[in-house]
Amino acid sequence: MRLPGRLAAAIEVLADVKQRKRPVSEALKSWGLNNRFAGAGDRAAIGNLVYDALRRRASHAFAMGSDSPRALVLGVAMRDWGETPAALDAAFAEDNHAPAALSPEEAAGATADLGGASPVVQSDFPDWLAPSLQRAFGADWVAEGQAMAGRPSLDLRANALKAAPEKVMKSLARFSPQPAAIAPFGVTMPAGPRDARTPNVTTDEGYLKGWFEVQDQGSQIVAALAGAREGDQVLDLCAGAGGKTLALAATMGNKGQIFAYDSDRSRLAPIYDRLKRNGVRNAQVRAPHPGALDDLVGKLDRVVVDAPCTGTGTWRRRPDTKWKLTPELLAQRQAEQAALLVEAARYLKSGGTLVYITCSILPEENDDQVAAFLASTPGFSSVDITSAWRQALITEIPPGLATPGGGICLTPHRTGTDGFYCHLLRKA
C-alpha cells in the first residue's frame, strides 16, 4: 500500500472507533483481518496514523477546523509526518484508493498556528482535567501535555537473574538499543518517525530464554524504589501479569519470598509462564479466593500496591483512553485506591514499608490518596523519597520529581518515561 491507501485505511479505522466506541486495538485488528492483503509494514503505518491522530486530537482538530476522522488523519500527515498539501494532492490523483482531494480549508491546516488555541488545546489534555494538571505541574502543565502526546520508546528490563544489559543489547543489536537513562537494568529503543515499526523483540532468542522483559523504564524505577532486599517477605497485592513481581525477584536475587496476588484471575493468568521463563524461584502465586492472604496479616516486610488507576500516565501508549476518561471513573478509582491502602496496611509487620504506586499523573490519585490515608491511619509516616532514590538507583534524584506530598512523579517531559507515581510509607 502507498501512503494514500494507508491514509484512507486510517480514516476508516478511526471512524469505526468513533461509531462503535470500541478500543483502537480492536478496531485495528478487525481492519487487518478484513484486509489481509495489507502487509506488516502497512498495518504498522496505519496504526501509527491512528494513534498519532488520537495523541494530538485536540490540537489537530483546532488546526484543521474539525475533529472528524478525515481531518485528524490528514492533520497527522501534514503536521506530524511532514507531507505538504501539494504532495498529498499529487499522490491522491494517482491512487484509486486515496481519500478525496484536499479542500482549501484542509490545506490551510498544514500551517495553522496554534498560538490562538487555549492551553488545554495546546496541551492535548481533556479540558475538565486542567485544574488538576495545573495543580500537579504548575506552569509546566502544557509542556507536560505536549510530551504526553508524543510516541513512547520501547523499553526493556534486563533480567538480572540471567543476563546483564550488555548481553541483552548484543542480542538485539539489529535494533540499535541504548542503555536507559535512569533504570540500572534498562534498555531502550526510541520511537521512530512516520511509519517506523516497533521492533518485535518477543521473538528474539534472548526474550525466549528469559534474558529480558518488556517494561517501561518508569515501571522499572518505581519497582526499584520499593527497596526489596534479599531475604525480605514481600506481597505484590495487585500483581496483574507479574511485571513488578519479576522485577522484585531479580532485585532480591531469588532470595526471600514474594507473594503475588491479584483479585482478577484473568489478569493473573500470564504470570505462571513468565515466572518460569525468567527463572524466578522465590515467588508464590496466590489465586483469589476468600482468606487467600489471611496467613500473611502482620508478617510482611513490604507490601507493594500497584493500584488500579485512570492510567493517565500511559496516554502515549493508549491515547484513546485519554478522551474516554470521566469524573465518574476517576471517583471510582479513588475509592478503590483508598480501600487497597487500608487492606495493604494489614499485612505489614512493625517497621514494614507500604509501597504505593500508580501509573497516574493526577494528584487526586497520588498525593491526595496518601494524605487521606495518613490522616486516618495512625502509626504510618512517609519515607524520605530522596534517600530512597539514592539507595535504590545509586544516583541523585533529578530536580522536580519530588511531589509536595512526599512522593515522586515521573513523566515523559521530566524523565522520558511513562507517567508513574510512587510513595513509600513506613509502619511504626
Side-chain angles (χ1 to χ4, degrees), residues 66 114 116 312 348 374:
S66 169
L114 294 181
T312 52
L348 284 170
L374 290 173

Side-chain angles (χ1 to χ4, degrees), residues 18 21 82 104 124 133 150 213 221 240 244 258 269 287 294 311 313 318 320 325 357 378 413:
K18 185 175 183 179
K21 294 180 172 56
D124 277 292
L133 295 162
E213 281 291 321
I221 291 169
K244 291 184 178 63
I258 304 170
D294 286 354
R318 301 180 62 200
D320 51 329
L325 183 59
I357 296 169
H413 181 59

Side-chain angles (χ1 to χ4, degrees), residues 121 199 287 303 391:
V121 168
V303 178
Q391 184 173 356

Side-chain angles (χ1 to χ4, degrees), residues 103-404:
S103 69
E105 293 78 14
E106 289 172 338
T111 55
D113 184 8
L114 294 181
S118 69
V120 171
V121 168
Q122 293 184 41
S123 68
D124 277 292
F125 279 135
D127 54 3
W128 67 274
L129 284 175
S132 174
L133 295 162
Q134 289 172 0
R135 182 157 67 97
F137 303 118
D140 287 338
W141 76 281
V142 173
E144 292 284 353
Q146 291 170 342
M148 189 69 76
R151 290 185 184 178
S153 58
L154 174 63
D155 295 346
L156 315 175
R157 179 185 55 80
N159 176 14
L161 300 175
K162 291 191 173 186
E166 293 76 16
K167 186 175 183 178
V168 172
M169 287 190 286
K170 184 177 180 180
S171 176
L172 298 171
R174 63 195 181 280
F175 299 129
S176 302
Q178 306 167 15
I182 300 173
F185 292 92
V187 174
T188 187
M189 284 158 273
R194 291 177 58 103
D195 58 356
R197 295 169 61 181
T198 301
N200 182 11
V201 297
T202 57
T203 60
D204 185 78
E205 175 190 26
Y207 179 82
L208 299 175
K209 290 183 175 180
W211 295 353
F212 64 87
E213 281 291 321
V214 177
Q215 185 177 23
D216 180 76
Q217 187 188 187
S219 180
Q220 297 178 47
I221 291 169
V222 295
L225 285 171
R229 299 186 292 255
E230 293 184 3
D232 275 355
Q233 300 290 302
V234 179
L235 170 61
D236 188 355
L237 187 57
C238 306
K244 291 184 178 63
T245 296
L246 299 174
L248 293 168
T251 300
M252 295 165 67
N254 254 340
K255 298 177 182 177
Q257 185 74 59
I258 304 170
F259 301 94
Y261 174 86
D262 198 282
S263 60
D264 187 326
R265 288 179 182 272
S266 61
R267 283 199 300 262
L268 198 60
I271 196 172
Y272 299 96
D273 287 339
R274 297 181 78 187
L275 291 172
K276 183 178 179 180
R277 181 167 48 78
N278 278 258
V280 173
R281 299 188 303 273
N282 68 331
Q284 180 185 131
V285 181
R286 293 286 182 96
H289 61 77
L293 303 176
D294 286 354
D295 61 318
L296 303 180
V297 173
K299 296 181 179 179
L300 300 177
D301 299 291
R302 297 174 200 279
V303 178
V304 177
V305 180
D306 187 3
C309 66
T310 56
T312 52
T314 64
W315 275 344
R316 297 185 303 169
R317 303 180 192 279
R318 301 180 62 200
D320 51 329
T321 63
K322 174 166 37 175
W323 310 109
K324 295 177 181 177
L325 183 59
T326 64
E328 292 75 20
L329 180 58
L330 172 58
Q332 178 183 335
R333 292 291 177 260
Q334 288 176 275
E336 293 167 351
Q337 293 153 6
L340 275 168
L341 281 168
V342 173
E343 174 72 7
R346 298 176 56 230
Y347 303 108
L348 284 170
K349 67 182 185 183
S350 297
T353 302
L354 197 166
V355 184
Y356 179 65
I357 296 169
T358 72
C359 54
S360 174
I361 57 174
L362 303 180
E364 291 88 342
E365 300 184 274
N366 297 338
D367 274 358
D368 291 359
Q369 284 286 18
V370 173
F373 173 77
L374 290 173
S376 62
T377 314
F380 278 84
S381 60
S382 294
V383 175
D384 179 50
I385 200 67
T386 301
S387 298
W389 182 288
R390 187 182 302 118
Q391 184 173 356
L393 298 161
I394 323 299
T395 62
E396 294 299 319
I397 188 170
L401 295 195
T403 64

